[in-house]
Amino acid sequence: MKIKICGLTREEDIRIVNNVRPDYVGFVFAGNKRKVDEAQAARLRQLLDENIPAVGVFVNAPIEQIYRLVKAKTVQLVQLHGNEDEEYIKALNECCHVPVIKAFSVQSKIDIEKARKSSVPWVLLDNGNGGTGERFSWDLIASLQRPFFLAGGLSPENVREAAIYRPYALDVSSGVETNGKKDKEKIKRFVTYVRNL
């Protein structure tokens, strides 16, 4: 099972992940909380181990912005958290040629069905618009037969329970923070627990 540590904003965060080596990290280019600008993300990417792919997290962003970040090698994957439709995803694929993750806010089986039909390589299943630190009813994903990132309310304490649903990856942000900042010990614990499953 893969691990994504999302919402990195500080050089200190990069030092932590370079040490524990998750499979992915996330830079958020939307909202207010944990948002980074392009220059900040470029600096963080330079410090990040070259073998750890960075995922750019966007909400209804202009494709030109995503293209700039991909071309500059700041991000290696793209995660969409807005109302981006299949037409948008097609246009993105044509210009950027990087894997796309589409996020779905899960409240019912209808949301799971939408996720199942998406054309992207991976879907991400979350509660609300992401970053809430709360989980949705995981029982809804029991029958999903496609690779997915599981997000929302994850922490070192519930890794074992989350693993039962066989996600492709666990995506954590606030669950490895203390007072809104990434916490080295929580990140180490999260990664260790997943690796030992």
Side-chain angles (χ1 to χ4, degrees):
M1 194 168 357
K2 308 287 188 189
I3 299 166
K4 176 167 165 264
I5 310 290
C6 201
L8 305 186
T9 59
R10 305 172 301 161
E11 292 185 12
E12 187 182 329
D13 299 342
I14 300 297
R15 283 194 292 274
I16 296 167
V17 294
N18 281 345
N19 183 36
V20 300
R21 308 190 61 73
D23 301 283
Y24 306 95
V25 300
F27 298 141
V28 179
F29 295 94
N32 297 315
K33 206 172 164 189
R34 308 184 191 95
K35 183 180 181 180
V36 292
D37 61 30
E38 292 184 36
Q40 199 180 351
R43 276 197 310 277
L44 295 174
R45 174 69 258 190
Q46 282 181 328
L47 297 169
L48 181 64
D49 185 304
E50 61 181 19
N51 296 309
I52 302 174
V55 180
V57 180
F58 303 92
V59 176
N60 303 322
I63 287 179
E64 300 74 40
Q65 180 194 11
I66 299 176
Y67 176 72
R68 269 197 316 275
L69 287 156
V70 168
K71 193 174 179 204
K73 297 187 167 46
T74 304
V75 301
Q76 288 67 55
L77 295 92
V78 170
Q79 183 174 314
L80 305 174
H81 263 271
N83 304 315
E84 303 90 356
D85 57 14
E86 288 293 325
E87 199 174 312
Y88 180 103
I89 291 166
K90 186 174 177 231
L92 194 58
N93 284 331
E94 283 170 3
C95 77
C96 294
H97 309 291
V98 294
V100 175
I101 304 162
K102 178 72 178 103
F104 290 84
S105 170
V106 178
Q107 271 129 35
S108 71
K109 289 215 160 161
I110 294 165
D111 303 313
I112 298 294
E113 188 55 22
K114 284 183 196 163
R116 190 184 66 76
K117 289 178 176 172
S118 179
S119 66
V120 297
W122 296 297
V123 293
L124 180 142
L125 307 175
D126 203 346
N127 177 50
N129 292 322
T132 62
E134 294 174 14
R135 60 191 260 188
F136 61 90
S137 173
W138 289 348
D139 289 341
L140 291 168
I141 56 178
S143 60
L144 184 61
Q145 298 291 315
R146 64 163 299 166
F148 66 94
F149 283 67
L150 180 59
L154 288 168
S155 69
E157 287 66 44
N158 61 17
V159 157
R160 191 173 291 281
E161 184 189 350
I164 293 166
Y165 297 93
R166 297 189 303 280
Y168 167 77
L170 295 177
D171 188 332
V172 67
S173 188
S174 58
V176 289
E177 291 178 351
T178 299
N179 300 324
K181 303 287 184 201
K182 291 292 181 280
D183 182 309
K184 181 180 179 180
E185 292 311 313
K186 286 183 181 176
I187 290 175
K188 280 169 74 174
R189 211 158 68 239
F190 188 90
V191 171
T192 301
Y193 287 2
V194 177
R195 297 283 187 241
N196 288 337
L197 284 170

